[in-house]
């Protein structure tokens, strides 16, 4: 974060300098305006042309200073937005601006591992500024990569972006200004003016009106002729506008973006095009904006045409332009023509912009948490090793770190422990770090190695009143998904918390034993974690020593009070605390 603090210091200094400069220019501008007005009043009272010349010169200086102030105001706005971005980068979590989109990502592990909702992994990683970027990041977190080469390419892309901190601040500032919440900037894509040759009409009308103006200026602007000329011009422009009313209305609705917002898109595209990327994925993203034509060039043309077209909406000026030059008709045809050259390339640009926003979020995450490390992707299907691992949302300074290692075929770790001893947190530690690892991100561990496989979890099964399904029915449905995956030869990392807890103790034990036996005998590769309070289940270790190993979180009894040190150990727990906790909280006597 030190580099971002330096960037913040520089931007803050620039902001103060610009603000001071703006105030000074504003004061000078006011002086010029007052003096210009005084000389104009002197001209009016004395008819001395020198006063008029001085007043005009001073007023032109005033206009120049107004333009200068406007540019400084734009720079101040950018600096203020950049400071907001840096503040967001410095913060641990970013509030999800589009929580309603979470319903689009209903996979098997998101709710169990708090990937998108609540105090979530998404909020911890998210630095996206647009809705399309937010959607892309949620898509990545909800769809894991199980291809080793792809994960490594992601790691390289994130590492490259991590070093481009100044570029990242500018990129996120530009995307913040963009306010892009949809995957297209054009509402319609079909041409409404069937031929650009229609432009001949406004060109011909403009030439005729210019010729009339020149002629009337030569003969002294006779009032009668000028009146009929203006009347004829209004009639012609009104008739043509009415004739092309549907097309003009359609073109006006082509995009909801203003010229200024299109300029923001131009800035983003240019910023991406001008950067030097070396990693494969980042270079591919950049190429989308450069080939076959530069996105910034096409967007700038559309923006300029839109800005010129919008001049037709100005009072008085718009009337003159539309009456004598058919301004709206001419530039509507031109705007549509430019849009048609670009419309089919817009979606790939915005798709890749969203991907880059998500990549930048991962890059900032990797950069911020310096103790996190890139996991090693191994070729051995059964290997999973984590050293000094902890949950990425917990405070590293106080969290208890744990180790785990397996490299045996269809290995299942049965984890026992008292209530609140650390079992569920450990399961989520494994699960969330696997989600990070299979996205190409760093993990919260000193070291981690794994073989990429689909992730299956069953931690927070609930009943469903709307469908009438009981807790147990929903649990069975979820386990059926796991069985189907294994039958379809999809290797799995399985994380289960208290399976079959929706039934009686005897059925639960027998059902759990048979289910574990089924997993052990599965021809499909798997690694499993199962947390349970059922100590009878741990006896399966002696019956299946090559597949099952017992782990536990043990309690310590200090002065008749039970405490957990949250350390994972091999073996079976010896102490349970349910009765103690119920007495402690005065639920029972």
């Amino acid at each position: 974060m030190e580099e971002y603090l330096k960037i913040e210091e520089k931007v803050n200094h620039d902001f103060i300098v610009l603000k001071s400069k703006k105030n000074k220019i504003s004061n000078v501008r006011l002086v010029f305006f007052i003096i210009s007005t005084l000389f104009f009043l002197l001209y009016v009272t004395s008819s001395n042309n020198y006063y008029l010349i001085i007043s005009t010169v001073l007023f032109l200086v005033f206009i120049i200073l107004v333009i200068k102030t406007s540019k400084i105001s734009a720079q101040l706005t950018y600096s203020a937005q950049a400071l907001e971005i840096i503040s967001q980068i410095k913060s641990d979590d970013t509030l999800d601006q589009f929580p309603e989109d979470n319903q689009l990502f209903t996979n098997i592990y998101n709710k169990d591992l708090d990937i998108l909702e609540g105090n979530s992994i998404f909020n911890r990683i998210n630095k996206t500024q647009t809705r399309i970027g937010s959607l892309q990041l949620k898509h990545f977190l909800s769809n894991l990569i199980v291809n080793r080469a792809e994960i490594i390419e992601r790691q390289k892309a994130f590492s490259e972006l991590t070093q481009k901190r100044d570029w990242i601040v500018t990129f996120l500032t530009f995307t913040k200004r963009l306010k892009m919440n949809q995957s297209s900037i054009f509402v319609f894509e079909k041409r409404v003016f069937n031929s650009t040759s229609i432009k001949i009409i406004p060109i011909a009308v403009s030439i005729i009106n210019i010729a009339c103006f020149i002629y009337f200026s030569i003969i002294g602007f006779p009032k009668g002729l000028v009146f009929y000329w203006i009347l004829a011009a209004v009639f012609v422009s009104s008739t043509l506008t009415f004739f092309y009313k549907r097309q003009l209305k359609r073109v006006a609705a082509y995009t909801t973006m203003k010229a200024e917002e299109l300029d923001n898109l131009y800035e983003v595209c240019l910023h991406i095009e001008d950067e030097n990327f070396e990693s494969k994925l980042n270079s591919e993203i950049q190429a989308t904006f450069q080939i076959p034509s530069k996105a910034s060039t096409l967007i700038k043309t559309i923006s300029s045409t839109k800005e010129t077209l919008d001049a037709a909406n100005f009072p008085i000026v718009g009337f003159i332009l539309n009456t004598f030059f058919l301004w709206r008709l001419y530039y509507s045809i031109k705007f549509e023509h430019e849009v048609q050259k670009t419309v089919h390339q817009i979606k790939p640009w915005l798709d890749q912009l969203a991907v880059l926003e998500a990549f930048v979020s991962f890059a900032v995450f990797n950069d911020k948490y310096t103790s996190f490390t890139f996991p090693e992707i191994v070729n051995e299907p059964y290997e999973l090793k984590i050293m000094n691992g902890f949950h990425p949302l917990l405070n590293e300074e106080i969290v208890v770190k744990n180790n785990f290692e397996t490299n045996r075929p269809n290995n299942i770790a049965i984890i026992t422990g008292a209530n609140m001893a650390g079992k569920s947190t450990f399961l989520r530690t494994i699960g969330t770090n696997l989600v990070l690892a299979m996205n190409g991100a760093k993990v919260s561990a000193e070291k981690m190695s794994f073989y990429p496989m689909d992730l299956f979890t069953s931690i927070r099964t609930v009943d469903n009143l709307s469908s009438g399904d009981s807790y147990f029915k929903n649990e069975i449905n979820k386990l059926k998904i796991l069985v189907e995956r294994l039958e379809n030869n999809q290797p799995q990392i399985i994380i289960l918390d208290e399976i079959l807890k929706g039934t009686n103790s005897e059925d639960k034990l027998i059902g759990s034993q048979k289910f574990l036996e089924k997993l052990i005998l599965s021809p499909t590769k798997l690694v499993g974690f199962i947390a349970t309070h059922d100590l009878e289940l741990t006896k399966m270790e002696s019956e299946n020593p090559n597949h099952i190993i017992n782990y536990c979180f043990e309690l310590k009894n200090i002065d008749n009070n039970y405490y957990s040190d949250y350390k994972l150990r091999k073996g079976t727990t010896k102490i349970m605390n349910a009765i103690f906790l119920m007495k402690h909280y005065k639920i029972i006597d």
Side-chain angles (χ1 to χ4, degrees), residues 186 188-199 246-248 250-252 254 301-302 305-306 309 328-343:
F186 299 119
F188 307 109
E189 297 186 357
K190 291 185 178 180
R191 190 183 288 277
V192 294
F193 289 105
N194 296 324
S195 174
T196 56
S197 60
I198 300 173
K199 285 198 297 184
R246 184 183 64 82
Q247 290 93 329
L248 292 172
R250 188 90 168 172
V251 169
Y254 250 125
T301 303
I302 292 175
T305 308
K306 181 76 164 64
L309 173 60
R328 190 189 304 279
L329 179 59
Y330 178 82
Y331 280 101
S332 291
I333 297 167
K334 182 172 172 43
F335 179 66
E336 183 190 55
H337 178 65
E338 297 301 336
V339 168
Q340 288 300 316
K341 290 196 302 184
T342 308
V343 68

Side-chain angles (χ1 to χ4, degrees), residues 74 77-78 81 172-179 264 267:
T77 301
Y78 169 83
Q81 290 171 333
L172 292 178
T173 303
F174 282 160
T175 52
K176 180 181 178 67
R177 292 151 66 97
L178 190 57
K179 299 177 183 178
N264 291 337
E267 287 178 331

Side-chain angles (χ1 to χ4, degrees), residues 43 138 199 202 338 507:
Y43 164 73
K138 289 176 180 179
K199 285 198 297 184
E338 297 301 336
D507 281 351

Side-chain angles (χ1 to χ4, degrees), residues 102-217:
N102 291 340
Q103 62 184 344
L104 302 174
F105 305 97
T106 53
N107 66 17
I108 203 75
Y109 60 81
N110 273 353
K111 288 187 180 297
D112 285 342
L113 301 178
D114 300 313
I115 299 301
L116 301 183
E117 297 177 349
N119 184 25
S120 65
I121 295 297
F122 172 81
N123 285 354
R124 179 57 54 91
I125 296 173
N126 179 37
K127 302 301 175 191
T128 62
Q129 302 300 310
T130 68
R131 186 173 193 172
I132 58 174
S134 171
L135 282 167
Q136 186 63 65
L137 180 56
K138 289 176 180 179
H139 173 79
F140 282 154
L141 291 171
S142 304
N143 295 272
L144 305 182
I145 305 172
V146 293
N147 181 284
R148 182 177 185 272
E150 288 183 30
I151 295 174
I152 292 173
E153 289 300 333
R154 279 268 192 96
Q155 291 179 350
K156 290 177 181 177
F158 298 164
S159 294
E160 180 180 42
L161 287 170
T162 296
Q163 303 304 315
K164 298 180 181 294
R165 299 176 182 88
D166 280 298
W167 185 90
I168 282 176
V169 170
T170 303
F171 172 76
L172 292 178
T173 303
F174 282 160
T175 52
K176 180 181 178 67
R177 292 151 66 97
L178 190 57
K179 299 177 183 178
M180 179 63 66
N181 293 332
Q182 64 281 340
S183 59
S184 176
I185 64 172
F186 299 119
V187 180
F188 307 109
E189 297 186 357
K190 291 185 178 180
R191 190 183 288 277
V192 294
F193 289 105
N194 296 324
S195 174
T196 56
S197 60
I198 300 173
K199 285 198 297 184
I200 295 173
I201 297 173
I203 292 172
V205 170
S206 298
I207 292 172
I208 291 170
N209 284 322
I210 291 171
C212 288
F213 180 82
I214 294 171
Y215 173 71
F216 291 140
S217 65

